[in-house]
DNA sequence: CAGTATCCAGACAGATACTG
DNA sequence: CAGTATCTGTCTGGATACTG
């Protein structure tokens, strides 16, 4: 399978073969950081990780919590996180089927990082907003 | 000017009118975090911020340091950072012109965040790589 | 040197319809 | 319920050529 590289489920275009490099060569630190940002920087990952931070959730439950996310993007995002071992996927063989997603241990440490990021944002939001407004006033 | 929304210099498509919201409503924390990730999550911002972390740099100097970046993307990235007050741009009116870019105070705190991110990545890289390989072995 | 201006391929993501 | 399959528009970013 997966010979034709179609569209359907985009196979996580992010970080395609940027096989994360070693950690100490001079410039590759950027590659390294980017590999996380590629993981975390897309539109929905942060939302999903934060929601799962409150406990395990099922598919449509997540769909509601992540408000205007589409089925497709939820699937794509969860697959990516699962692939990286950040969330676990547990299928309960009931009828109708139930699938439960939860943060793994590593996923939980990622949550910490995301929260640090949120803290930084809160602390510097006004400054950025002001700077942005000032810049836009001077420029077009 | 800037009535026709052409291509030329894309006017920072990121975080277009997602005017960063207040910091305490229940779900808007995501918007908040996303607003930083939009700022930091693009392909070059991290590289530029890290390089400027070593001191002020000039345009083509940065261009060399950020290896395969194009002129356009360097300009776009620097403009975005300047707009948000994270880097300063100083023109020395010499011939030929010299323009020096440097991190501002806030920009320097962003550098801290980026480094935290790098630390997390280093710490969890093996785990992610392994998980990814395992997942890919099972799936397509 | 330090940029602008265009063109364009390919990735990201929304809407919609269908399925075990 | 929990997805998969397509189609499609939009945005990102690379290549290239030109300028004060």
């Amino acid at each position: 399978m997966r010979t034709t590289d179609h569209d359907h489920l985009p196979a996580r275009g992010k970080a395609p073969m940027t096989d994360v490099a070693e950690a100490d060569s001079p410039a590759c630190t950027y590659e390294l950081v980017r590999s996380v940002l590629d993981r975390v920087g897309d539109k929905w990952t942060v939302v999903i990780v934060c929601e799962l931070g409150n406990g395990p959730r099922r598919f449509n439950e997540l769909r509601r919590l992540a408000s205007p996310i589409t089925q497709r993007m939820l699937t794509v995002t969860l697959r990516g996180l699962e692939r990286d071992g950040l969330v676990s996927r547990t299928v309960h063989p009931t009828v109708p089927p139930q699938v439960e997603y939860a943060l793994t241990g590593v996923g939980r440490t990622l949550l910490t990082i995301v929260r640090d990021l949120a803290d930084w944002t809160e602390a510097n939001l006004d400054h950025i907003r002001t700077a942005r407004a000032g810049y836009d006033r001077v420029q077009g």
Side-chain angles (χ1 to χ4, degrees), chain A:
Chain A
M1 313 295 120
R2 183 56 51 94
T3 47
T4 46
D5 203 39
H6 280 99
D7 187 27
H8 48 314
L9 284 195
R12 269 275 128 194
K14 297 297 200 105
M17 271 295 92
T18 317
D19 207 21
V20 267
E22 277 85 69
D24 35 17
S25 102
C28 84
T29 306
Y30 306 142
E31 305 279 331
L32 223 154
V33 179
R34 291 241 79 270
S35 74
V36 192
L37 287 170
D38 284 341
R39 163 74 284 146
V40 147
D42 64 39
K43 196 171 181 185
W44 297 108
T45 296
V46 164
V47 178
I48 301 302
V49 168
C50 287
E51 285 301 342
L52 289 180
N54 298 326
R57 296 283 182 263
R58 287 170 38 205
F59 189 87
N60 278 327
E61 208 172 352
L62 276 176
R63 204 185 160 189
R64 277 184 291 275
L65 291 167
S67 54
I69 195 174
T70 60
Q71 272 181 325
R72 195 183 96 96
M73 290 323 295
L74 181 53
T75 301
V76 169
T77 303
L78 286 170
R79 285 292 176 279
L81 288 167
E82 190 193 352
R83 181 166 108 101
D84 286 356
L86 300 171
V87 311
S88 62
R89 177 176 181 272
T90 314
V91 181
H92 300 284
T94 60
V95 173
Q98 288 195 194
V99 181
E100 201 171 71
Y101 293 92
L103 287 183
T104 63
V106 191
R108 213 169 302 280
T109 69
L110 176 60
L111 183 62
T112 307
I113 296 289
V114 169
R115 285 180 172 156
D116 287 351
L117 213 53
D119 291 344
W120 184 88
T121 312
E122 283 194 49
N124 298 100
L125 195 59
D126 285 343
H127 188 284
I128 291 180
R129 192 153 35 186
T130 306
R132 209 173 269 190
Y135 185 94
D136 290 351
R137 196 169 307 111
V138 175
Q139 319 289 325

